[in-house]
Amino acid sequence: QVQVVESGGGLVQPGGSLRLSCAASGSIFHINSMEWYRQAPGKGREFVARTTSGGGIVYADSVKGRFTISRGNTKNTVYLQMDSLKPEDTAIYYCRVVKSTVLYWGQGTQVTVSS
C-alpha cells in the first residue's frame, strides 16, 4: 500500500505562483511515476504533469511553459511549481502514484486563482 498526501494549495491572484508538494509513504519501492491531475468545478479530472522513475517528464499543453514538475531528493516526493497562474487553473489538484499496475491517489489540495 502507498499513502499519498498533497499540500501547498491556496488562494493566489492571477499571475502569481504556488508550489504544491506530494509525499508518498508506505511501500514506495518500484514506483513507476508520480503525476499531477486536476479537477475544476463541473469538469472531469485532467492530466497536468508526470515524472517517471527513468527521468521522463510530460506536461499537458495547457500548462507547458508555466508549470514545472520535479522530484525531491528522497524520490518519494514530487513538487509542482506553478507560475503565471490563470483563473482557469482553479481546481482541486491531485497527486497520483503509479506502482506497477496500481494507482494511488491523494485527497487533493484546492488551488484558487482569483483577484
Side-chain angles (χ1 to χ4, degrees):
Q1 279 284 54
V2 177
Q3 293 76 46
V4 181
V5 178
E6 306 97 333
S7 62
L11 172 64
V12 63
Q13 293 187 340
S17 298
L18 276 177
R19 189 193 195 207
L20 304 183
S21 300
C22 169
S25 61
S27 180
I28 60 172
F29 296 104
H30 307 302
I31 287 177
N32 299 104
S33 64
M34 297 183 75
E35 309 167 348
W36 288 98
Y37 282 73
R38 67 186 181 185
Q39 187 165 15
K43 296 188 176 181
R45 197 169 294 190
E46 66 172 1
F47 169 77
V48 175
R50 170 186 300 121
T51 177
T52 68
S53 58
I57 290 178
V58 180
Y59 295 100
D61 287 342
S62 58
V63 307
K64 206 172 290 184
R66 300 188 299 121
F67 290 11
T68 304
I69 189 170
S70 61
R71 297 287 284 266
N73 290 333
T74 58
K75 303 299 182 185
N76 65 318
T77 303
V78 65
Y79 304 101
L80 186 68
Q81 177 66 40
M82 305 186 295
D83 299 317
S84 303
L85 282 161
K86 306 175 181 179
E88 51 263 43
D89 294 317
T90 294
I92 299 174
Y93 283 71
Y94 296 91
C95 180
R96 186 174 88 168
V97 173
V98 180
K99 180 176 174 178
S100 185
T101 59
V102 183
L103 310 177
Y104 298 91
W105 291 91
Q107 300 265 10
T109 184
Q110 176 71 48
V111 171
T112 302
V113 185
S114 175
S115 54

